Amino acid sequence: MSKLTKFKPGLKLKQAAELLSRLIGEDLTTDDIFTLYCADWLPAVLPVHATLYRLRPQFQPDIHENYVADGRYFMEPEETAGFCSGLQMPCDIVFVNGMHAFSMRDDEGNFYALKDNADDEFIGPAYEHVDDPERLVVEPFDIFDIAAMANDEGTLPQRQYIPRASTWCISAVQLYNLPPLVDTPRPAKEQIEPPAKEPPSKNLVLAALVEIVTSSEARRWNQDSLATEIQERFGSVRGLGKKTATNLFSEVRKSLQAARHDANSDLQS
């Protein structure tokens, strides 16, 4: 591998595996890099060809603030703001015209969404290439960070949500994948325990899916249409909103992909 690899804006997972192998002295595969991504140790970039749109609240200020208090942002496009060739993950998720969409922020906290130039749809969790290991790329400095942690015999630091300035967008304003000037520790997933009084959302979503599939006429569902159906049928049930369903779909999709990669690795070994 060329020593100039570190200067590339993004590395395919195979290239990232080769670089990390050289840095830590172990033979690694694409599956190892993808597993680090699924476990939230390694950020990644989803290459896109998209137009940036600045967003504004969809509802009046008092209604908007009520939704914001619950962590929900209902937005609508205001104006175009530039172009983007890559979306850094993880990132914010908002509602744009009622649909989940990935978003970015500027220094003042304003939201921006990305509309795919190919299909004229805003890119969100239902985007077909999300978490596709064949498309994702990794920024070289993240590989060097992982190598430093791997080579350090001390205790691992906490995983963190760290906002970073995007180098993948052409815009008059600096954009970030997460709210700027925020550095929130990200606990290990296995340590996260839902509050005792919260409803078992995973079980509720699974039960809702079973009812929808067994009681509806045969049709082709996708992730977003299922989440919408759950909202329409069970929106009054606490723990069964569209946002909860969409986030859980994204979470279990990552788990399934990681499990498939592990299974394929076991078969090939």
Side-chain angles (χ1 to χ4, degrees):
M1 168 172 278
S2 171
K3 292 184 178 180
L4 297 180
T5 300
K6 69 175 73 175
F7 297 104
K8 292 185 176 181
L11 306 176
K12 290 286 191 178
L13 298 198
K14 181 179 179 181
Q15 295 175 308
E18 293 172 355
L19 176 58
L20 188 56
S21 296
R22 179 161 62 86
L23 293 172
I24 68 174
E26 296 181 11
D27 291 331
L28 302 175
T29 67
T30 298
D31 291 343
D32 295 316
I33 302 300
F34 188 68
T35 297
L36 287 171
Y37 166 70
C38 290
D40 290 334
W41 281 109
L42 184 64
V45 176
L46 176 65
V48 296
H49 296 287
T51 300
L52 280 166
Y53 280 80
R54 176 172 168 148
L55 306 177
R56 63 187 175 197
Q58 183 178 0
F59 301 114
Q60 295 298 319
D62 55 340
I63 299 176
H64 178 73
E65 291 303 319
N66 286 336
Y67 282 123
V68 169
D70 293 331
R72 293 179 292 173
Y73 291 85
F74 288 88
M75 315 295 288
E76 61 185 9
E78 182 176 27
E79 60 183 358
T80 58
F83 302 92
C84 191
S85 61
L87 176 64
Q88 292 165 309
M89 308 288 283
C91 63
D92 274 333
I93 298 178
V94 299
F95 292 90
V96 179
N97 295 335
M99 305 291 288
H100 276 90
F102 293 127
S103 70
M104 306 169 72
R105 302 271 197 109
D106 63 18
D107 283 302
E108 297 179 355
N110 298 306
F111 288 93
Y112 296 76
L114 295 79
K115 180 178 282 190
D116 186 56
N117 292 339
D119 60 15
D120 206 35
E121 297 287 342
F122 283 101
I123 297 173
Y127 185 60
E128 63 176 326
H129 298 299
V130 171
D131 296 337
D132 181 353
E134 297 297 322
R135 285 180 62 97
L136 292 173
V137 298
V138 177
E139 295 179 284
F141 59 84
D142 285 317
I143 293 297
F144 282 91
D145 287 345
I146 288 290
M149 288 189 286
N151 289 324
D152 187 345
E153 296 183 358
T155 303
L156 281 173
Q158 281 189 317
R159 288 172 267 190
Q160 293 180 316
Y161 284 113
I162 301 178
R164 58 179 58 177
S166 175
T167 58
W168 297 79
C169 296
I170 300 175
S171 178
V173 294
Q174 179 62 65
L175 298 175
Y176 303 82
N177 60 322
L178 294 168
L181 307 180
V182 174
D183 189 354
T184 306
R186 179 194 299 176
K189 287 182 177 178
E190 60 270 14
Q191 295 177 351
I192 297 177
E193 297 182 359
K197 295 183 180 180
E198 286 297 312
S201 295
K202 287 187 178 181
N203 291 340
L204 290 174
V205 170
L206 180 58
L209 286 174
V210 171
E211 181 172 324
I212 290 170
V213 173
T214 57
S215 65
S216 302
E217 295 182 1
R219 59 171 290 188
R220 184 173 181 177
W221 298 95
N222 59 34
Q223 180 174 306
D224 190 72
S225 63
L226 278 171
T228 299
E229 185 73 10
I230 287 174
Q231 176 67 41
E232 292 177 352
R233 289 200 189 194
F234 310 103
S236 61
V237 179
R238 187 181 178 193
L240 269 181
K242 182 174 180 179
K243 181 177 181 180
T244 299
T246 300
N247 290 341
L248 286 175
F249 289 165
S250 181
E251 177 184 337
V252 298
R253 184 179 178 183
K254 277 188 179 182
S255 298
L256 178 58
Q257 288 177 324
R260 281 175 172 166
H261 276 272
D262 291 341
N264 291 334
S265 298
D266 292 340
L267 290 174
Q268 294 171 4
S269 61

Short mmCIF file of all heavy atoms in Angstrom, two decimals, residues 55-79:
data_model
loop_
_atom_site.label_atom_id
_atom_site.label_comp_id
_atom_site.label_asym_id
_atom_site.label_seq_id
_atom_site.Cartn_x
_atom_site.Cartn_y
_atom_site.Cartn_z
N LEU A 55 -33.22 24.22 5.86
CA LEU A 55 -34.57 23.89 6.32
C LEU A 55 -35.10 24.96 7.25
O LEU A 55 -34.35 25.70 7.90
CB LEU A 55 -34.56 22.54 7.05
CG LEU A 55 -33.97 21.34 6.29
CD1 LEU A 55 -33.97 20.11 7.18
CD2 LEU A 55 -34.73 21.08 5.01
N ARG A 56 -36.43 25.02 7.34
CA ARG A 56 -37.09 25.89 8.31
C ARG A 56 -38.19 25.08 8.99
O ARG A 56 -38.66 24.08 8.45
CB ARG A 56 -37.69 27.10 7.60
CG ARG A 56 -38.78 26.76 6.59
CD ARG A 56 -39.22 27.97 5.81
NE ARG A 56 -40.19 27.61 4.78
CZ ARG A 56 -40.49 28.40 3.74
NH1 ARG A 56 -39.91 29.58 3.61
NH2 ARG A 56 -41.38 28.01 2.85
N PRO A 57 -38.63 25.51 10.17
CA PRO A 57 -39.69 24.77 10.86
C PRO A 57 -40.96 24.68 10.01
O PRO A 57 -41.36 25.64 9.36
CB PRO A 57 -39.93 25.60 12.12
CG PRO A 57 -38.63 26.29 12.37
CD PRO A 57 -38.08 26.61 11.00
N GLN A 58 -41.57 23.52 10.04
CA GLN A 58 -42.79 23.30 9.25
C GLN A 58 -44.01 23.93 9.91
O GLN A 58 -44.96 24.33 9.23
CB GLN A 58 -43.00 21.80 9.08
CG GLN A 58 -44.20 21.42 8.22
CD GLN A 58 -44.33 19.92 8.05
OE1 GLN A 58 -43.52 19.16 8.56
NE2 GLN A 58 -45.35 19.49 7.33
N PHE A 59 -43.98 24.03 11.25
CA PHE A 59 -45.15 24.52 11.98
C PHE A 59 -44.87 25.88 12.63
O PHE A 59 -43.73 26.35 12.66
CB PHE A 59 -45.56 23.51 13.04
CG PHE A 59 -45.88 22.14 12.48
CD1 PHE A 59 -45.09 21.05 12.80
CD2 PHE A 59 -46.96 21.96 11.63
CE1 PHE A 59 -45.37 19.80 12.28
CE2 PHE A 59 -47.25 20.71 11.10
CZ PHE A 59 -46.45 19.62 11.43
N GLN A 60 -45.91 26.46 13.17
CA GLN A 60 -45.78 27.73 13.88
C GLN A 60 -44.87 27.56 15.11
O GLN A 60 -44.73 26.45 15.64
CB GLN A 60 -47.16 28.23 14.32
CG GLN A 60 -48.09 28.58 13.16
CD GLN A 60 -47.53 29.72 12.31
OE1 GLN A 60 -46.98 30.70 12.84
NE2 GLN A 60 -47.65 29.59 10.99
N PRO A 61 -44.23 28.67 15.56
CA PRO A 61 -43.23 28.56 16.63
C PRO A 61 -43.69 27.80 17.87
O PRO A 61 -42.93 27.00 18.42
CB PRO A 61 -42.92 30.03 16.96
CG PRO A 61 -43.16 30.74 15.68
CD PRO A 61 -44.34 30.05 15.05
N ASP A 62 -44.93 28.03 18.34
CA ASP A 62 -45.36 27.37 19.57
C ASP A 62 -45.49 25.86 19.36
O ASP A 62 -45.08 25.06 20.22
CB ASP A 62 -46.67 27.96 20.08
CG ASP A 62 -47.77 27.94 19.02
OD1 ASP A 62 -47.45 27.83 17.82
OD2 ASP A 62 -48.95 28.03 19.40
N ILE A 63 -46.04 25.46 18.23
CA ILE A 63 -46.17 24.02 17.93
C ILE A 63 -44.79 23.41 17.71
O ILE A 63 -44.51 22.31 18.20
CB ILE A 63 -47.07 23.80 16.69
CG1 ILE A 63 -48.47 24.36 16.94
CG2 ILE A 63 -47.12 22.33 16.31
CD1 ILE A 63 -49.38 24.27 15.74
N HIS A 64 -43.94 24.13 16.99
CA HIS A 64 -42.58 23.65 16.72
C HIS A 64 -41.84 23.39 18.03
O HIS A 64 -41.19 22.33 18.19
CB HIS A 64 -41.83 24.67 15.86
CG HIS A 64 -40.41 24.29 15.57
ND1 HIS A 64 -40.06 23.28 14.70
CD2 HIS A 64 -39.23 24.79 16.07
CE1 HIS A 64 -38.75 23.17 14.65
NE2 HIS A 64 -38.22 24.07 15.47
N GLU A 65 -41.93 24.32 18.96
CA GLU A 65 -41.21 24.17 20.23
C GLU A 65 -41.73 22.98 21.03
O GLU A 65 -40.97 22.32 21.74
CB GLU A 65 -41.31 25.46 21.05
CG GLU A 65 -40.53 26.62 20.45
CD GLU A 65 -39.06 26.30 20.26
OE1 GLU A 65 -38.47 25.64 21.15
OE2 GLU A 65 -38.51 26.68 19.21
N ASN A 66 -43.02 22.71 20.93
CA ASN A 66 -43.57 21.54 21.63
C ASN A 66 -42.96 20.26 21.10
O ASN A 66 -42.63 19.34 21.86
CB ASN A 66 -45.10 21.50 21.48
CG ASN A 66 -45.80 22.54 22.32
OD1 ASN A 66 -45.26 23.00 23.32
ND2 ASN A 66 -46.99 22.93 21.91
N TYR A 67 -42.80 20.17 19.77
CA TYR A 67 -42.18 18.99 19.18
C TYR A 67 -40.70 18.92 19.53
O TYR A 67 -40.17 17.84 19.82
CB TYR A 67 -42.36 19.00 17.66
CG TYR A 67 -43.73 18.58 17.19
CD1 TYR A 67 -44.50 19.44 16.40
CD2 TYR A 67 -44.25 17.34 17.54
CE1 TYR A 67 -45.77 19.05 15.96
CE2 TYR A 67 -45.51 16.95 17.11
CZ TYR A 67 -46.26 17.80 16.32
OH TYR A 67 -47.51 17.42 15.90
N VAL A 68 -40.02 20.06 19.52
CA VAL A 68 -38.59 20.08 19.83
C VAL A 68 -38.35 19.60 21.25
O VAL A 68 -37.35 18.92 21.54
CB VAL A 68 -38.02 21.51 19.64
CG1 VAL A 68 -36.61 21.62 20.22
CG2 VAL A 68 -38.01 21.87 18.16
N ALA A 69 -39.27 19.93 22.16
CA ALA A 69 -39.13 19.47 23.55
C ALA A 69 -39.12 17.95 23.64
O ALA A 69 -38.54 17.38 24.57
CB ALA A 69 -40.28 20.04 24.39
N ASP A 70 -39.75 17.28 22.66
CA ASP A 70 -39.74 15.82 22.61
C ASP A 70 -38.63 15.28 21.71
O ASP A 70 -38.57 14.09 21.43
CB ASP A 70 -41.09 15.30 22.07
CG ASP A 70 -42.23 15.58 23.04
OD1 ASP A 70 -41.95 15.65 24.25
OD2 ASP A 70 -43.38 15.73 22.58
N GLY A 71 -37.76 16.18 21.25
CA GLY A 71 -36.65 15.75 20.40
C GLY A 71 -37.01 15.54 18.95
O GLY A 71 -36.27 14.89 18.21
N ARG A 72 -38.15 16.10 18.51
CA ARG A 72 -38.59 15.92 17.13
C ARG A 72 -38.55 17.27 16.40
O ARG A 72 -39.04 18.27 16.92
CB ARG A 72 -40.00 15.34 17.07
CG ARG A 72 -40.10 13.91 17.59
CD ARG A 72 -41.52 13.39 17.55
NE ARG A 72 -42.38 14.08 18.51
CZ ARG A 72 -43.70 13.91 18.58
NH1 ARG A 72 -44.31 13.10 17.71
NH2 ARG A 72 -44.41 14.55 19.49
N TYR A 73 -37.96 17.26 15.22
CA TYR A 73 -37.86 18.46 14.41
C TYR A 73 -38.62 18.24 13.10
O TYR A 73 -38.19 17.45 12.25
CB TYR A 73 -36.40 18.79 14.11
CG TYR A 73 -35.62 19.23 15.33
CD1 TYR A 73 -35.04 18.30 16.19
CD2 TYR A 73 -35.46 20.58 15.64
CE1 TYR A 73 -34.33 18.69 17.31
CE2 TYR A 73 -34.75 20.99 16.75
CZ TYR A 73 -34.18 20.04 17.59
OH TYR A 73 -33.49 20.44 18.69
N PHE A 74 -39.75 18.93 12.95
CA PHE A 74 -40.54 18.85 11.73
C PHE A 74 -40.17 20.06 10.88
O PHE A 74 -40.44 21.21 11.25
CB PHE A 74 -42.04 18.84 12.04
CG PHE A 74 -42.51 17.54 12.63
CD1 PHE A 74 -42.48 17.35 14.01
CD2 PHE A 74 -42.97 16.52 11.82
CE1 PHE A 74 -42.91 16.15 14.57
CE2 PHE A 74 -43.40 15.32 12.36
CZ PHE A 74 -43.37 15.13 13.73
N MET A 75 -39.52 19.79 9.74
CA MET A 75 -38.96 20.85 8.93
C MET A 75 -39.48 20.77 7.50
O MET A 75 -40.10 19.78 7.10
CB MET A 75 -37.42 20.76 8.93
CG MET A 75 -36.78 20.52 10.29
SD MET A 75 -37.01 21.88 11.46
CE MET A 75 -35.91 23.11 10.77
N GLU A 76 -39.20 21.83 6.74
CA GLU A 76 -39.52 21.86 5.32
C GLU A 76 -38.42 22.62 4.60
O GLU A 76 -37.73 23.45 5.21
CB GLU A 76 -40.88 22.51 5.07
CG GLU A 76 -40.97 23.95 5.52
CD GLU A 76 -42.37 24.52 5.35
OE1 GLU A 76 -43.29 23.75 5.04
OE2 GLU A 76 -42.54 25.75 5.54
N PRO A 77 -38.20 22.34 3.31
CA PRO A 77 -37.14 23.04 2.58
C PRO A 77 -37.41 24.53 2.49
O PRO A 77 -38.54 24.95 2.27
CB PRO A 77 -37.18 22.39 1.19
CG PRO A 77 -37.92 21.11 1.38
CD PRO A 77 -38.89 21.34 2.48
N GLU A 78 -36.36 25.33 2.66
CA GLU A 78 -36.48 26.78 2.54
C GLU A 78 -35.79 27.28 1.27
O GLU A 78 -36.38 28.01 0.48
CB GLU A 78 -35.86 27.47 3.76
CG GLU A 78 -35.99 28.98 3.72
CD GLU A 78 -35.45 29.63 4.98
OE1 GLU A 78 -34.57 29.04 5.64
OE2 GLU A 78 -35.92 30.73 5.31
N GLU A 79 -34.52 26.86 1.08
CA GLU A 79 -33.78 27.29 -0.10
C GLU A 79 -32.58 26.37 -0.31
O GLU A 79 -32.11 25.72 0.63
CB GLU A 79 -33.30 28.74 0.04
CG GLU A 79 -32.38 28.95 1.24
CD GLU A 79 -31.97 30.40 1.43
OE1 GLU A 79 -32.38 31.22 0.59
OE2 GLU A 79 -31.23 30.69 2.39
#
